Amino acid sequence: VLGNQGKESNIPFLYQLLCDKDALVRQHAAWALGRFQSEAVRSHLEEALQAEQNENVILEIRQAIEFSASSQF
């Protein structure tokens, strides 16, 4: 829902969720962050990608980075 809202004020909370202990929460946070066209968001996702160990979350982060870089809003 937070990604669909498009409110930049949600970004700090989504950053926090990228560190959640639950992989599914991290996946959803990555998806939501990917909806923002922002170099800062992509940079944060790239940092999260380096630390992530769950394959599903890694895939979602990679897709979010690609989507963020290619989206036209």
Side-chain angles (χ1 to χ4, degrees):
V1 172
L2 295 177
N4 287 331
Q5 289 179 347
K7 294 181 182 177
E8 290 187 7
S9 60
N10 291 333
I11 292 173
F13 181 63
L14 291 167
Y15 284 163
Q16 290 177 357
L17 293 179
L18 274 180
C19 298
D20 195 90
K21 65 179 180 173
D22 187 320
L24 186 59
V25 171
R26 296 193 307 276
Q27 277 182 265
H28 286 282
W31 178 90
L33 285 165
R35 296 323 185 239
F36 294 94
Q37 242 185 340
S38 162
E39 184 60 39
V41 169
R42 284 190 294 279
S43 178
H44 199 88
L45 286 167
E46 289 170 3
E47 288 178 26
L49 181 62
Q50 299 304 314
E52 186 57 56
Q53 296 181 355
N54 181 284
E55 289 299 320
N56 293 326
V57 180
I58 289 170
L59 178 61
E60 193 65 51
I61 292 172
R62 286 183 178 149
Q63 290 174 344
I65 292 167
E66 288 179 27
F67 190 86
S68 177
S70 66
S71 292
Q72 298 293 324
F73 290 96

